[in-house]
Amino acid sequence: MGLTSQTLLTVLLLAALGAGALTLWLWPRAARRSPLAWASRLGLLVLTQVCVLSVLLVEANNRFGFYSTWNELLGRASSRQELREAGGKGERPPALTVKGQESIGLQGTREKAGQVDRIEIRGPVSGLGMDGYAYLPPQYFQKEHAKEKFPVVVVITGQPGVSKNLITQLKVPQAASAAIMAKEIRPTIYLLVRPSVVADRDTNCTDVPGGPQALTFFDQDLPLAVSAQYRAADAPGSWGAVGNSTGGYCALKLAMTDPARYGAAAGLSADYFARQDGRTGDLYAGSKQYKSENDLIWRVEHMPPPPVSLLLSTSKSGEENYRPTLTFADKAKAPTRVARLVRDEGGHNFQTWREEYPVVLRWLDKELAARK
């Protein structure tokens, strides 16, 4: 029974209702003046509170995505991510391995609705690796499109989080499949990944001096791996990126640092700088200049503007990134184009992002199509 499954929430809700009913039924019998009666009443109160609190905690976790699996909740790594040493003997393993297919309830066969592959990426340049998912559109499997290459959108979840949140919580491939089947967007490959490529460290898609080269992984290794396995478009600016929270920061950063590949990017409730804390460690080796270069607002103000299209989503209802979003948009200069998706209500949570993704996918499709 998965931590984020509806079954678990239903079972806990029934248990809470049962505990409440049991308390009402037994309370008169426990209303006596004896140590056993006092212990009985205390036990009934504790049982009811634990059941209700469990429902609230699981629902909060489902809504905000703190943990995606039991292993992650218990502090055990839930996905394979490791630093790989270069220069080993023997043949180099493939940069991308398909580990199987993931059933996500798409409406039809792969020729009609598409398919989600479970993938593992081994970065030959950075030496880093991660697992994730790839959604392939139905046209990828149709004979009339057998030689066609498809645009690619890299979808990055927040931190902490796992790539499966993009399927179970944000339902990105489901939204993409429905939009492609309805001919609202072009057939596109969607890569579903997380921002951290090192277990137990939040690298913020940053090339850490003397440490993990996380930006290199996304800028070089990931495109090389995908192009070696799938029929991915290779025209300038034919790739896009989108993410929420830390993933939004990564997506915007990819387009701003590699505009030759990433022609458009969207940040949903995005950060605009890499927050340093105990999980990140020192990302900049003490260099103020390097820290500034990884601050996206500083980049739009002080560095040559890249020829990319950026979409920024935020909410007026007290969201932390609301004013930074306005600042970023005001400071951006041509040829960088900035669009804003501003909600009156909403917040830093899965429900808001899940509602935004269909709009964002259509925007990305339009911007990438304009670069053909």
Side-chain angles (χ1 to χ4, degrees):
M1 192 181 299
L3 178 61
T4 60
S5 68
Q6 186 61 39
T7 302
L8 175 62
L9 185 60
T10 301
V11 169
L12 291 176
L13 182 59
L14 292 175
L17 293 173
L22 182 65
T23 299
L24 292 175
W25 182 55
L26 293 178
W27 195 263
R29 301 186 181 189
R32 299 171 183 170
R33 294 183 179 181
S34 69
L36 180 60
W38 279 98
S40 298
R41 292 197 294 272
L42 179 62
L44 289 171
L45 290 174
V46 170
L47 175 63
T48 304
Q49 293 298 315
V50 168
C51 290
V52 171
L53 185 60
S54 297
V55 172
L56 295 176
L57 290 176
V58 169
E59 174 61 19
N61 182 68
N62 289 348
R63 182 174 293 272
F64 297 104
F66 300 116
Y67 303 99
S68 188
T69 65
W70 290 109
N71 283 336
E72 191 176 25
L73 175 64
L74 297 174
R76 299 194 293 263
S78 58
S79 60
R80 185 177 179 184
Q81 298 183 38
E82 60 189 59
L83 180 65
R84 301 180 182 274
E85 297 291 341
K89 296 182 180 180
E91 294 184 2
R92 175 178 291 175
L96 189 151
T97 304
V98 177
K99 311 296 286 187
Q101 281 71 52
E102 185 78 7
S103 177
I104 64 169
L106 297 180
Q107 301 302 308
T109 63
R110 67 179 190 174
E111 289 80 7
K112 180 181 179 181
Q115 173 179 288
V116 174
D117 287 348
R118 296 193 304 273
I119 62 174
E120 181 180 25
I121 299 173
R122 304 167 185 244
V125 180
S126 68
L128 300 170
M130 71 154 55
D131 49 18
Y133 302 88
Y135 168 75
L136 306 175
Q139 289 79 1
Y140 193 91
F141 305 100
Q142 297 170 2
K143 292 182 179 180
E144 57 268 35
H145 299 280
K147 296 183 178 180
E148 185 176 340
K149 291 186 176 182
F150 297 88
V152 178
V153 171
V154 180
V155 188
I156 311 171
T157 189
Q159 178 73 26
V162 293
S163 52
K164 198 167 186 178
N165 283 341
L166 296 164
I167 297 174
T168 59
Q169 301 293 335
L170 297 179
K171 301 187 182 301
V172 176
Q174 294 92 324
S177 175
I180 291 171
M181 292 172 66
K183 297 184 179 181
E184 296 175 349
I185 62 176
R186 296 174 302 153
T188 300
I189 297 172
Y190 292 88
L191 303 175
L192 314 176
V193 295
R194 63 182 292 169
S196 179
V197 290
V198 180
D200 302 322
R201 184 173 184 184
D202 181 5
T203 48
N204 274 269
C205 299
T206 300
D207 282 346
V208 180
Q213 303 297 287
L215 183 60
T216 296
F217 176 86
F218 283 99
D219 267 348
Q220 299 185 44
D221 287 333
L222 187 146
L224 288 172
V226 171
S227 297
Q229 176 66 37
Y230 298 119
R231 302 196 308 275
D234 52 11
S238 58
W239 283 45
V242 57
N244 55 276
S245 191
T246 300
Y249 166 77
C250 291
L252 298 174
K253 188 174 181 178
L254 287 176
M256 295 176 71
T257 59
D258 188 9
R261 183 180 304 277
Y262 294 94
L268 282 56
S269 305
D271 295 328
Y272 294 97
F273 64 95
R275 303 172 186 272
Q276 293 194 101
D277 53 34
R279 294 186 62 85
T280 66
D282 185 1
L283 297 174
Y284 313 116
S287 170
K288 292 184 179 180
Q289 177 62 29
Y290 191 53
K291 182 178 181 179
S292 294
E293 291 173 2
N294 282 276
D295 184 316
L296 302 187
I297 293 179
W298 186 92
R299 291 186 71 93
V300 298
E301 189 173 9
H302 295 93
M303 299 189 73
V308 295
S309 298
L310 305 176
L311 173 63
L312 316 175
S313 89
T314 188
S315 169
K316 296 179 182 179
S317 58
E319 192 165 5
E320 186 178 352
N321 82 325
Y322 178 64
R323 292 199 176 280
T325 295
L326 300 183
T327 300
F328 182 100
D330 289 341
K331 291 183 178 295
K333 301 179 288 291
T336 299
R337 299 174 56 195
V338 176
R340 289 178 290 180
L341 177 60
V342 181
R343 300 170 60 115
D344 289 332
E345 297 182 352
H348 204 87
N349 57 63
F350 282 144
Q351 180 177 345
T352 296
W353 299 326
R354 187 164 53 243
E355 293 173 357
E356 290 178 341
Y357 256 107
V359 177
V360 173
L361 294 184
R362 290 194 294 271
W363 178 88
L364 277 169
D365 179 71
K366 177 176 67 70
E367 294 300 321
L368 293 178
R371 295 178 178 276
K372 290 185 66 176

